[in-house]
Amino acid sequence: MTNDRINAEYIEKLLKVKATLTIHGTTDSTNLDLKELAKAGAETGTVVIAENQKAGRGRLGRQFYSPSHSGIYMSLLIRPDEKTDTGLLTAYTAVAVCNALEEVSGEKFGIKWVNDILKDGKKVCGILAEAGVENGKTEYIIVGIGINVYPPNEGFPEEIKNIAGSVFDSPADNARNEIIAKIINNFFSYSKGFIEEYKRKSVVLGKEISVHKRDSVKKALALDIDENCNLLVKYENGETENLSFGEISVRV
């Protein structure tokens, strides 16, 4: 029988960085749990992990589907210093997760700007960063990571079944524990010099895309990603724009 329950002791043996783990069976949201810990003084390296989220949160106010025993739902706390570029931390997290998944699974993964992780064109991971700001200063950043490690027993919900994928087709011994440990090791080894690696993992560059704005969808060509992880696009009318945030889809 496959053993893949989340195990703090197993994870801690694989850690190469200082981290404090809290593991829940079920919670509303690991980001919300970690926010309370951060307000109470928790330090960089604090990590909250759950087997299940009842109200997992994604970008743009969406819910992140978080069923039991098939995924990884974790949030990591960092208190930024002068070496931390808070604007780039989310993009860096995408590289950290991508590398962890590749190391454990032996498969290839790509990044859809800004921070979705894809396998074979389907989303296997979402990332949500939230900053705690007091008196105009960023006191902490919480980065939430949700990964579909295995297909859920009941299948993905109708609204996402055509776009959601999983890292593995079936459970593997300690795969989730190993992925969690590698993500923690990678994340807390933050370095600014990751943009070239980010670009190599991009599934967007050179592709025709659709840029979704509040009141329109515009076709464009993805030209480049700069040192601040802005996406340079060229629209059909020849105009270019440097996108610092937003929603895009790759045209197929």
Side-chain angles (χ1 to χ4, degrees):
M1 183 176 178
T2 301
N3 175 25
D4 194 40
R5 67 181 183 87
I6 294 176
N7 185 310
E9 184 177 352
Y10 189 100
I11 295 167
E12 287 166 352
K13 288 180 179 178
L14 299 176
L15 294 182
K16 300 175 182 177
V17 297
K18 183 180 178 182
T20 303
L21 309 183
T22 298
I23 298 177
H24 298 299
T26 298
T27 191
D28 286 335
S29 160
T30 58
N31 266 31
L32 291 178
D33 291 340
L34 192 50
K35 187 178 292 186
E36 293 304 312
L37 293 176
K39 290 178 179 178
E43 294 298 329
T44 292
T46 305
V47 180
V48 175
I49 306 163
E51 272 283 8
N52 167 265
Q53 291 184 120
K54 293 183 289 185
R57 299 157 67 207
R59 292 180 64 238
L60 306 177
R62 299 180 182 129
Q63 184 171 356
F64 189 88
Y65 183 57
S66 312
S68 297
H69 307 301
S70 66
I72 291 171
Y73 320 112
M74 61 188 295
S75 297
L76 307 94
L77 174 68
I78 186 168
R79 292 194 180 273
D81 57 26
E82 66 279 357
K83 297 182 294 183
T84 308
D85 189 320
T86 57
L88 288 176
L89 190 59
T90 306
Y92 174 80
T93 304
V95 173
V97 171
C98 215
N99 285 337
L101 296 180
E102 290 180 348
E103 289 165 16
V104 176
S105 72
E107 302 284 347
K108 284 292 182 184
F109 296 80
I111 301 171
K112 182 174 82 70
W113 186 86
V114 178
N115 53 24
D116 285 344
I117 309 297
L118 306 185
K119 178 187 176 186
D120 299 329
K122 291 193 172 184
K123 181 176 175 177
V124 301
C125 172
I127 298 167
L128 175 66
E130 299 181 289
V133 180
E134 296 179 15
N135 299 320
K137 179 185 177 184
T138 300
E139 293 291 339
Y140 61 84
I141 303 170
I142 293 169
V143 180
I145 300 168
I147 305 172
N148 305 324
V149 182
Y150 314 119
N153 290 334
E154 63 277 17
F156 289 108
E158 187 70 26
E159 63 270 20
I160 63 171
K161 71 176 185 179
N162 292 325
I163 59 173
S166 59
V167 177
F168 295 96
D169 293 329
S170 59
D173 282 342
N174 284 307
R176 289 191 298 164
N177 292 320
E178 292 180 14
I179 290 170
I180 289 167
K182 287 184 181 294
I183 289 173
I184 293 171
N185 287 334
N186 293 347
F187 179 84
F188 291 113
S189 301
Y190 173 78
S191 168
K192 291 181 181 179
F194 71 92
I195 288 295
E196 287 305 314
E197 185 174 9
Y198 183 98
K199 290 169 68 171
R200 286 194 299 270
K201 293 181 181 299
S202 172
V203 299
V204 168
L205 290 181
K207 300 287 183 64
E208 292 185 336
I209 64 172
S210 296
V211 179
H212 300 257
K213 298 197 173 182
R214 183 172 298 176
D215 55 355
S216 68
V217 178
K218 299 174 71 174
K219 296 177 181 179
L221 179 66
L223 298 177
D224 199 8
I225 295 170
D226 68 16
E227 68 276 7
N228 295 313
C229 210
N230 297 324
L231 179 66
L232 177 63
V233 301
K234 183 177 182 179
Y235 295 109
E236 290 183 309
N237 63 4
E239 294 180 356
T240 60
E241 183 177 10
N242 220 16
L243 302 175
S244 57
F245 63 92
E247 186 83 359
I248 67 166
S249 56
V250 181
R251 291 161 60 193
V252 294

